[in-house]
Amino acid sequence: MCEMSGGKLSVSMFGQKRLSREGGIEIVVKELCTRMVKNGCNITCYNQSGHHISGAEYDEKIEYDKICQKYVPTIEKKGLAAVSSSFFAALYSAFGKYDVVHIHAEGPAFFSWLPKIFGKKVIVTIHGIDWQREKWKSGFGSKFIRQGEKNAVKYADEIIVLSKGVQEYFKDEYGRETKFIPNGVNRPRSQKAELITNKYGLTKDSYILFLGRLVPEKGIRYLVEAYKNIKTDKKLVIAGGGSDTDSFIKELQSLAKDDDRILFTGFVQGQILDELYSNAYIYTLPSDLEGMPLSLLEAMSYGNCCLVSNIPECAEVVEDKALIFEKSNVQDLQNKLQEACDCVEKVMELKQQAADYICKKYNWDDVVKETMKLYRRKR
C-alpha cells in the first residue's frame, strides 16, 4: 500500500495538458496515476483548460477510476498556456491537503517554490532539457524554462531524470544529484491493417513510419530529404500533430510536395494509431534532441525494426536491437533507409527481437515502484 503515517498518501500532479496522448508527458502522467491509485494513493491531476493541441475534435475528457481531474484557468495563447496553468496548479497544490506535489517538466517547475514554502514535499520530473528545443531558443519562453530548471534544483526535494545524459548534465551544471527512472512501456496486441487500408491505402510492411510531434528537433526535415532520394515503393507516413509549430508543418509539406509517396496523417490515436504501429516496415526517429522517447519504446513494443539517430537518449534505449545513423547527417540517414529497404532479412531479424527486449527492459510497474520510494523518502 502507498501510505503515510496518517493514512493514504495524497499526491498532486501538474505539468501535463490533460490525461491524453498529446505528448510524452501526458502519457507518463496517465500511466503513473492509473497505477498509483491502485496502490492506494489519492491522486489529483491539475490539467490545462482549453482545447486539445491538435484541435477541438480531440477535446474528449476521459475519466479514470479514482483519479480526481481538475481543470485550472489557462490563457490559450502561444507561450502562456503552460505558464498560466502551471501557476494556478502550483497555487492549488500549495493550499491543498497534499503530502507530495509532483511537477512534470522544466517550465512548470518554475513554480516549484510555491508548494515548497507551504511545506509540501516537491518532486520534479525532468522530461528533457526543454530550453534547448528550437521553439524555446529565444525570448521569454527560453528564460522562463531555464529558470524553471534552476528552481527545480533549488526547491525540489527530489529530481527524477529519464536518461543518463540528463543525469550527468545536472551533476556537471549544478552539482545536483538526481534519480534516474526511465519511462516504461506496455506490451500491446498487434492489429491487422484495416482502418489504415481503408483510409490511407496502407498494408502490412508497405510503409516507413514516423510518429510523434511535428517539431524541428525531431529531425523530420532530414527524414523527408533523405527519403526523397531513396529507391523504394514503400511510402513514408508522417503521423502526428504540431505543438505551436504550424509554420514548420507547412515547411515540411512544401518539402514533400513533389513526392506523392509521402503521406501526412495529422494527429492519430486509438485504432488507427495501433494499426500504424502494428504494420510498419520500419519505424524511424531521426531526432536531434529527446528526453526519453516514448514513441520509440512503443514502436519496439509492437515488434518494429527501428532506425534512430545516435543521440544517447535513443542509443541507450535500443542498444544493438535497432539501426542507427549519425544525427543530422542526411546522407547517412539516406544510406540506412536504402539499406533497410533492400535488406529484408536484417529488418525481419530486428523485428523478431524488438518486443521481448523492450518490454523486459522498460516496465511501468517498476517506474511506479521507484517513484513511490521517492515519495516516501524522509526529507
Side-chain angles (χ1 to χ4, degrees), residues 193-194 196-197 200-207 279-281:
E194 294 175 350
I196 61 172
T197 302
Y200 307 119
L202 301 173
T203 55
K204 180 72 173 174
D205 292 333
S206 70
Y207 58 95
N279 296 284
Y281 179 65

Side-chain angles (χ1 to χ4, degrees), residues 32 125 159-163 167 178-184 292 366-372 374:
L32 290 178
T125 295
I159 296 177
I160 297 170
V161 296
L162 307 182
S163 73
Q167 188 172 44
T178 58
K179 178 67 174 178
F180 170 57
I181 308 178
N183 289 327
M292 171 65 170
D366 293 340
V367 174
V368 169
K369 181 180 177 182
E370 292 302 311
T371 301
M372 283 167 41
L374 296 186

Side-chain angles (χ1 to χ4, degrees), residues 106 126 128-132 145-146 149-150 153 161 163-176 178 313:
E106 292 187 329
I126 303 294
I129 309 302
D130 290 336
W131 55 266
Q132 294 179 348
I145 292 170
R146 193 73 184 263
E149 179 179 290
K150 293 175 181 177
V153 169
V161 296
S163 73
K164 294 290 182 64
V166 173
Q167 188 172 44
E168 291 171 5
Y169 167 80
F170 273 86
K171 182 68 174 175
D172 294 344
E173 186 74 12
Y174 302 105
R176 176 69 195 251
T178 58
E313 291 79 5

Side-chain angles (χ1 to χ4, degrees), residues 54-69:
S54 291
E57 66 268 31
Y58 297 106
D59 275 352
E60 178 188 9
K61 293 180 179 178
I62 302 172
E63 298 299 324
Y64 291 90
D65 190 34
K66 297 182 180 178
I67 298 174
C68 177
Q69 297 189 66

Side-chain angles (χ1 to χ4, degrees), residues 98-134:
Y98 302 111
D99 302 300
V100 175
V101 177
H102 191 158
I103 305 171
H104 293 266
E106 292 187 329
F110 181 92
F111 299 106
S112 55
W113 57 271
L114 193 48
K116 183 65 178 175
I117 64 173
F118 281 85
K120 303 297 191 290
K121 182 169 187 176
V122 176
I123 310 288
V124 173
T125 295
I126 303 294
H127 290 256
I129 309 302
D130 290 336
W131 55 266
Q132 294 179 348
R133 300 186 190 280
E134 191 162 318

Side-chain angles (χ1 to χ4, degrees), residues 306-319:
C306 295
L307 170 59
V308 302
S309 60
N310 63 348
I311 61 173
E313 291 79 5
C314 288
E316 283 177 18
V317 169
V318 303
E319 296 184 18

Side-chain angles (χ1 to χ4, degrees), residues 26 47 68 71 91 113 155 157 330 376:
E26 288 71 32
N47 301 331
C68 177
Y71 291 82
L91 190 65
W113 57 271
Y155 297 107
D157 294 281
V330 175
R376 291 193 291 259

